[in-house]
Every structure is written in structure tokens, then in C-alpha cells.
Amino acid sequence: MSGTGPGHRPWRTLKRLRRGLLRLELPRQALTPWRRRDGLVVLIVALLVALLSSWPWLVEPSLRPGVPAPFTVRAPKAATVVDSDALEQRRSQLGPRTHVQVVDPRINRELEQRLERQLQAIQRLASTNQEQVAPLDLSPEERDWLAGQSPAVLRAWEDDLRQAQRRMLQQGLVSSVAHSQLEQAAQLQLENLNEPGRSLGGRVVASSLQGRSNLRIDATLSQRLIEDLLTQQGIPTIKVRKGELVTRQGEPISNQSYAVLDYFGLVNRRPLIGAWLLHACEALAACGVLVLVLRQNRASLEPRQALLALGLLLIVQGFKLWLGSAASPLALLVPATLLLAQGLGTTAGLAWVAIASLLWPLPLAPFNDQRILVAAGVAAATAVLAGRQRSRAQLLQLALLIPVGALVAEWLLLQLAVASGEGDGRLPVGADLPGEALLLGGLLLGVLLISPLVESFFDLLTRARLLELADLERPLLRRLSCEAPGTFEHTLMICGLAEEGGRAIQADTDLIRTGALYHDVGKLHGPQWFIENQMGTDNPHDKLDDPQLSAGILQAHVDEGLKLARRYRLPRPLADFIPEHQGTLKMGYFLHEARRRDPNIREADFRYRGPIPRSRETAVLMLADGCEAALRSLPPDTSEQEARAMVRRIVEARWRDGQLLDSGLSLAELELLVRAFVRVWRRMRHRRIPYPIPARKGYSA
């Protein structure tokens, strides 16, 4: 009696909980096999991710400002150290005020050509002596003066104008100079001329220079001027006394402390091979965990889909290194998460964003660390919401709402930092919250635009694509409804059964519905060989009178279905419904006929070639396909208990035949499927009120 006392109840409860978590009573779903070459490619991409993630420990110094000090340091001697941070800050303050400008010869040539075009127009005006459009608004006196001058005098006048323009250009020209000032300067250059040639020449030269500048900034001369100014003002230095505390272990290294550590040679700039190997192994292990999670969550995962997840991780790591502290966590994490979550599911998106956040390779300022947490939270919410969206319109709404939520979250984070005294309300360098939100929105819209191409190339089956493929106006489904109407009606019946069954065991009902619509498309190869399409005509199998050939025809509808799936580019998960809904079932009628003629006939010749169902969804379809005809044939007075017993016998026969070994279905879920199928049958067999038909009235001729 002691073994059943109250003290043993918690232990039994924990044991049941452990068994429930491990689901030991369930068979494991079979994984899609990968070729050795595919595994090698995945490993190479994972190694590249590990290399990029650990790259800073190969090329960066061992210490840097902002990171916690690994040890306590006191100055070994007194020294005067250049304050590089203050020096750089002074340089940046001097920069805008110390731009040295020089004359640009290219712009000078353009302005000289502009003057030549004006002089040519004036020459034509002087030679024709007629009223015509001039480059300037000439007075009658100026027109008469031009007409009265000889060609030699005009050429001399033009040479004077060219010389005046060259002298003005050599002094430097600013585009904002007033036009009247330009005219006065030009007339001063032409003071040896008489009127009206002097005033006219000044106007021509001024109009050729108006609104233009021939100056450009010379970086070398500007830098030299800055250095001269810094030398005059004095280079900022740090006075260090012997024994003075430079850094304390665990506290962040300041810019001044870093300069002192570098002066005393305590900053190791050689590659940290040990740290690099450690971080590379961590990143490689993280990639391995990501692939394992993807395969655990999706047994039918293909190598190219794993490459998509690792490739996105590789791209993000590359952008992190390229942009450095200017990298936006939101822009790097959220769009990739949206793409993966809608293609491979919420679990894949959450696993990816966790790995990408943990592998951020560069140390960051405190506020940037918190921004990564906000970005990871937004990306996780995106993964959860994207897995529930059922149309591209809903995904578009999500892509517009996410940037707004991210902007609000980062603004609240900044305000909390200010309220707690950890910040002054200013953003880190490169941080622009509204600009970051706009960038994130643009990237999310770009993801939605390219997602159909990504779905096709990587064979992803998103919720939106599933619903699009379930449209009965799709070309292959239209062919089925027109060329094999009996099979099409049979398909719709099975679709209802399988969808209700999938809902009962919480399977992917959208995948089941769409897969059920395409599972028998191979019958288009020869619709007349299947009884649902014969419409009361003769059965061609009776004329064939060869059970083995008839069995080959049944197998052919699976083979032809796979060919049609490739021709119409059905995704792999949908194409799997075609062979797996038959598994390796026996073709019972033709096996019986063959054994009646030859008892030694091999049973294997009358079984489908499989494979057996490798997912819960294809197993549900197999059971629905087996029960549909039996439920349809039940007489009207069949009770619900009798129908349930008949369905249970069919399901148990599939179980005993080994068809459900790789499906992952439990015995409890099989019972739920039995009840779901009978519920659909009960709805289909509902009674209707008999309507009275009035007798026709007779009329005499």
C-alpha cells in the first residue's frame, strides 16, 4: 500500500509529464534524405558564416573603447599622452571653417566657351545690321556702335573682353555674387575702353559669369591648414602620473584610458587566434543548431531551404561588418525574419532571429545593445504574426504596421534611458529613428515583392501560395474538372473529409486541402480507366482481362501525377501527396483476381511503389481516401456507431499494414480522425423535408 501513497503521486505526475514532453509513444516522422553533396554545401556556407562572425577577433585590437576592461591597470611611469579623441574632435570642429579653395581649370574652360558663344552671336548681329534676337538686351546706341565698327576694331574689343574674363576667373568667382557687382568688376577691367564699348563689354562678361563658381575645395591644402592651426593652438594631451589608475577590471574603457593603454603597449593588435577559434566554433555550432531546428520542425526540409536560412545569416553578418556601428539591427533582422517565417514557418523565423542576434560580432554602445533587444523583439513578433497571415494583402498590412511599432518601441526605449539617467536624450552616431523606420518599411515591401521569386527558387510553400494554388480556376484543376469530372467530384469529397480530419488533430489544414485537390491529377492520363469517370459505360478493365496490366495502370496514375506536378511546377510538399496518399497499399481487387488464376502470384507486384506517408498531412489524406468510398456506400439507415466502427476498421487496417509508421500519428489522433470522418458523413447524409408535388391539371383539346 505504501507504493500508492500520496508521496508517490508527484513522482508519477512528473513521469507522465516527461513522457508527454518527449512523446515517446509516437513514431518519429521520417526525415527527407540529403545527399552528401548537399550536406557539404550546407557545411561550407556555415563555415563562411562562422568566419564572418569571428572576423573582428582576427583584425581588431584586443581592447577598444566602450568594452569592459579585462584587468586593472596602473600607470608604470609618468607620461604625457596625446589625447587622440580630443584631437579628432578638434579636427572635426575645425573642418568646416578651414576649407581651402582653389580655381578649377575645367570650370574656367566652360565659362570661356560660354563667353565665346555670346561673342559669336554679337558678331552675327554686327554683320547683318538687322533687328534680331541678341544675347543681351541691347540699346539702339549699342546696336549702332556695333554696326559702325570695322572687323579689326571688333576683334580687338573681343580680345579685351576675353582678357578681362580671364583676370576675373583667376581671382576666383563665387556663384552668389550680385550681378551689379560683377558688372562693376568687369568695367574696372575694361577701363581703357571708351563708351559704349566699355559698358557693353562689362555686361557681356558679367552675363557669362553670372551664377557660376570656379572654385573647389583642395583636401590636401585644407588638411595642411588644419594641422597648422592645431600646432598653433597646441595638441591636446593627457598627463599621467606614475601609479595612477588607468582602468579598473569590469568597467568600460574610456577613450582617454584607451589612449594611455595604447601608449604603454597594452593594446594587443595581433590576431587573437584563441578567441577567434572560440567564436568561430560558437558560430558554427549555432548554424548547426539552426539547421537541426529547421529539420526537426520540418521533416521535408530540403537542402536549398537550409541554404536560404544560412545564406540570409551570411548576408546579415557581412552587412554588420561592413557598416560597423552604423548597422541598423531592425533593418538587418526583421526583413529576413519575415521572409523565413512565411516560407518555413514561425519556428524557423524565431530560431533564425535568435541565432542572428546572438552572433552580432561587434561590441556596441549601451543604447545600441538595447536597440538589438528591441529589434529581436520586433523580429520575433514578426515571425509569429507572419506565420498566421493567409494572404499577401494581410502581409502588406503587416509590412506597413511593423515599422510604426518599431519606431514607437525605440522611442520609448530612448525615453526610458533618459528617465533612468543612462542617457542624455541624444541618439548614437548614425541613429535616425524616423529614417530607420522608413528604411525598414521599404525593405519589408521589397521582401514582399521578391517573395514569389524566392518561393519558386527555393520551393517554399507559404500560406498565401497555398491558397493561390487551391483556386479551382488554376489550369491543372480546370483540366481535372473538365476531363475527369468523376475524379474531380471524388476529390472534392475527400477534400472535405481530410480537412475536417486535419482540423481535429491540429494539422496544417491549408496544406491538406490544397494537397487533396491535386492528389489524383495523374488520372488525367486515362480517366476512362477509373470507375468514377465511366458514367455507366463499359469498364475497360473487363475487356483487358489482365489483372497485372490493370495494376500497372493504377500505378501509372501515380507516376503520371508526378510528371504533371513537375510540368505545372507544384511545390514539393504538394507533389508528395500524389504518391504518399497510396503509399504501398495493396490493389486488393486485382490481387484477388490474379490469385484466383495463379495462387503463386507475388503480392509485391500488386502494391503501389510508395513511399508511405511521411507527414501527418499525407497520412490524413490516405485515410480519407480509404474511407470516402466506404462512407458513401453506407445505406441510409446506418447508425453513427456502425459508421464509426466501419471507419475504425479501415484505419486499423492501414495501421497494421505499416502505412502509418513514418507519419507521426498517434493512436489517440487516429481515434480523433475516425470521429471527424463520421461527423462529415453525418453532415453529408442530412435529411430533407419532402416537398409535395401538386398534380397536373388536365385540359381538354
Side-chain angles (χ1 to χ4, degrees):
M1 295 293 291
S2 61
T4 60
H8 288 268
R9 290 175 184 171
W11 172 252
R12 289 199 299 269
T13 302
L14 289 174
K15 189 175 181 180
R16 285 197 299 268
L17 179 61
R18 182 181 67 86
R19 289 180 60 86
L21 289 175
L22 295 177
R23 298 176 68 86
L24 295 179
E25 75 280 4
L26 292 183
R28 300 291 258 174
Q29 187 174 334
L31 295 174
T32 299
W34 286 10
R35 294 174 297 180
R36 183 176 301 177
R37 181 182 63 185
D38 298 330
L40 182 61
V41 174
V42 170
L43 177 60
I44 291 174
V45 177
L47 288 173
L48 290 175
V49 173
L51 177 63
L52 284 184
S53 300
S54 58
W55 186 255
W57 285 270
L58 277 179
V59 298
E60 295 290 336
S62 58
L63 301 176
R64 62 178 64 86
V67 303
F71 40 71
T72 299
V73 176
R74 293 185 179 275
K77 61 180 181 179
T80 301
V81 182
V82 175
D83 190 346
S84 56
D85 183 62
L87 182 61
E88 187 62 32
Q89 185 176 6
R90 188 177 294 178
R91 275 200 184 100
S92 63
Q93 293 173 351
L94 288 174
R97 295 177 294 171
T98 54
H99 292 320
V100 177
Q101 295 182 321
V102 296
V103 173
D104 191 336
R106 180 183 59 82
I107 301 178
N108 282 355
R109 289 192 294 271
E110 293 178 0
L111 294 175
E112 289 171 358
Q113 292 172 2
R114 187 176 180 182
L115 177 62
E116 290 298 328
R117 289 193 294 270
Q118 292 183 351
L119 293 177
Q120 290 174 5
I122 290 175
Q123 286 177 2
R124 290 193 296 271
L125 180 65
S127 62
T128 57
N129 195 20
Q130 295 179 359
E131 292 291 335
Q132 58 179 335
V133 177
L136 297 174
D137 187 13
L138 301 180
S139 64
E141 293 79 8
E142 291 171 338
R143 288 179 179 271
D144 293 340
W145 180 82
L146 288 173
Q149 303 302 314
S150 65
V153 172
L154 284 178
R155 282 196 297 272
W157 177 74
E158 291 173 356
D159 290 339
D160 290 336
L161 266 59
R162 295 186 185 100
Q163 289 294 333
Q165 188 197 51
R166 291 193 190 99
R167 287 192 291 268
M168 293 178 68
L169 290 175
Q170 197 60 35
Q171 294 172 350
L173 182 67
V174 180
S175 59
S176 57
V177 176
H179 185 72
S180 59
Q181 295 291 325
L182 280 178
E183 281 192 23
Q184 292 178 10
Q187 289 180 11
L188 287 175
Q189 297 288 344
L190 300 172
E191 59 183 1
N192 59 332
L193 298 180
N194 298 321
E195 292 293 347
R198 179 169 174 241
S199 59
L200 176 59
R203 290 169 57 203
V204 171
V205 172
S207 65
S208 69
L209 302 178
Q210 177 64 34
R212 297 296 301 273
S213 173
N214 67 336
L215 299 177
R216 62 175 175 83
I217 297 175
D218 188 293
T220 303
L221 295 178
S222 300
Q223 184 65 28
R224 190 177 302 167
L225 178 60
I226 292 174
E227 299 299 334
D228 292 342
L229 292 175
L230 288 175
T231 303
Q232 295 171 9
Q233 296 178 5
I235 297 177
T237 58
I238 304 170
K239 299 291 185 179
V240 183
R241 296 184 298 273
K242 183 178 180 180
E244 185 177 1
L245 181 66
V246 179
T247 60
R248 190 185 302 277
Q249 184 176 3
E251 294 182 355
I253 300 174
S254 66
N255 291 320
Q256 290 74 22
S257 298
Y258 178 79
V260 175
L261 291 172
D262 196 17
Y263 176 82
F264 288 123
L266 298 177
V267 177
N268 184 8
R269 299 183 181 275
R270 293 173 297 177
L272 303 175
I273 301 300
W276 171 73
L277 284 175
L278 176 62
H279 288 88
C281 291
E282 288 177 352
L284 187 61
C287 292
V289 169
L290 177 61
V291 174
L292 288 177
V293 169
L294 294 179
R295 294 210 76 184
Q296 177 71 19
N297 180 61
R298 183 181 291 262
S300 60
L301 184 79
E302 296 185 22
R304 53 180 165 171
Q305 295 167 352
L307 286 175
L308 173 63
L310 293 178
L312 289 174
L313 196 58
L314 182 66
I315 292 172
V316 168
Q317 295 300 101
F319 272 103
K320 290 175 187 176
L321 289 178
W322 180 34
L323 299 175
S325 60
S328 167
L330 281 171
L332 292 179
L333 296 181
V334 179
T337 304
L338 175 64
L339 184 62
L340 279 179
Q342 63 168 326
L344 295 176
T346 297
T347 303
L350 292 175
W352 187 90
V353 73
I355 298 297
S357 302
L358 292 174
L359 293 183
W360 205 279
L362 297 175
L364 298 169
F367 182 69
N368 281 338
D369 285 334
Q370 297 168 10
R371 289 174 69 208
I372 290 181
L373 294 179
V374 170
V378 173
T382 302
V384 173
L385 295 175
R388 299 178 179 178
Q389 308 307 307
R390 298 176 58 82
S391 68
R392 302 200 190 274
Q394 292 176 334
L395 287 171
L396 178 61
Q397 294 173 358
L398 183 65
L400 296 177
L401 291 176
I402 287 174
V404 177
L407 176 63
V408 172
E410 287 205 331
W411 182 82
L412 290 176
L413 174 66
L414 183 61
Q415 300 308 311
L416 288 175
V418 173
S420 61
E422 297 179 0
D424 55 1
R426 292 181 299 177
L427 294 172
V429 177
D432 176 17
L433 298 189
E436 194 172 10
L438 289 175
L439 174 63
L440 176 60
L443 290 175
L444 291 177
L445 292 177
V447 166
L448 295 183
L449 286 176
I450 67 170
S451 59
L453 299 177
V454 176
E455 291 168 6
S456 177
F457 186 79
F458 291 98
D459 204 21
L460 300 177
L461 194 57
T462 62
R463 195 69 50 192
R465 192 181 182 195
L466 265 179
L467 296 179
E468 291 168 359
L469 289 170
D471 184 4
L472 297 182
E473 293 300 317
R474 302 284 295 190
L476 190 54
L477 296 180
R478 279 300 294 163
R479 279 192 60 191
L480 188 66
S481 64
C482 296
E483 299 176 25
T487 299
F488 185 70
E489 292 301 322
H490 158 79
T491 295
L492 295 180
M493 290 283 295
I494 290 180
C495 188
L497 285 172
E499 187 176 357
E500 183 69 19
R503 192 173 292 111
I505 64 171
Q506 296 183 349
D508 191 339
T509 54
D510 292 325
L511 178 60
I512 291 176
R513 181 192 310 112
T514 310
L517 290 173
Y518 288 94
H519 80 284
D520 263 347
V521 292
K523 293 182 179 179
L524 285 170
H525 183 64
Q528 71 281 3
W529 290 95
F530 300 91
I531 191 169
E532 67 266 19
N533 297 311
Q534 291 169 5
M535 306 298 181
T537 59
D538 294 336
N539 190 340
H541 289 283
D542 295 337
K543 296 180 180 179
L544 186 61
D545 196 25
D546 188 335
Q548 198 145 6
L549 288 179
S550 295
I553 292 172
L554 293 189
Q555 173 61 45
H557 97 274
V558 173
D559 302 334
E560 295 298 326
L562 291 174
K563 292 179 183 178
L564 285 172
R566 287 192 294 269
R567 185 185 309 166
Y568 285 85
R569 304 186 68 179
L570 292 183
R572 171 76 176 273
L574 288 184
D576 287 342
F577 279 84
I578 296 172
E580 292 181 22
H581 87 279
Q582 295 290 2
T584 57
L585 289 172
K586 289 185 292 187
M587 305 172 194
Y589 176 80
F590 295 115
L591 176 61
H592 173 74
E593 285 295 315
R595 281 187 170 168
R596 186 173 59 82
R597 304 179 186 190
D598 181 6
N600 298 321
I601 199 74
R602 289 195 322 145
E603 182 181 295
D605 295 337
F606 290 86
R607 280 187 178 271
Y608 287 98
R609 291 196 287 267
I612 60 175
R614 294 173 294 183
S615 68
R616 302 165 76 217
E617 288 75 18
T618 55
V620 168
L621 182 64
M622 168 186 273
L623 298 177
D625 192 25
C627 296
E628 185 266 338
L631 286 171
R632 195 201 298 242
S633 64
L634 290 177
D637 56 348
T638 304
S639 66
E640 184 173 336
Q641 289 74 18
E642 292 172 338
R644 192 175 296 169
M646 185 269 297
V647 172
R648 191 175 291 111
R649 285 195 300 272
I650 296 174
V651 172
E652 289 176 353
R654 299 286 192 270
W655 177 273
R656 289 193 302 271
D657 197 27
Q659 301 297 317
L660 306 178
L661 288 177
D662 294 339
S663 66
L665 288 177
S666 66
L667 293 175
E669 288 173 331
L670 292 179
E671 181 60 28
L672 291 175
L673 289 175
V674 170
R675 296 174 182 269
F677 292 161
V678 173
R679 280 199 304 272
V680 176
W681 167 79
R682 190 172 64 242
R683 293 199 300 261
M684 290 164 43
R685 300 295 293 269
H686 64 278
R687 299 181 60 187
R688 300 185 68 90
I689 299 175
Y691 288 88
I693 301 176
R696 293 183 179 179
K697 294 182 179 181
Y699 296 95
S700 62

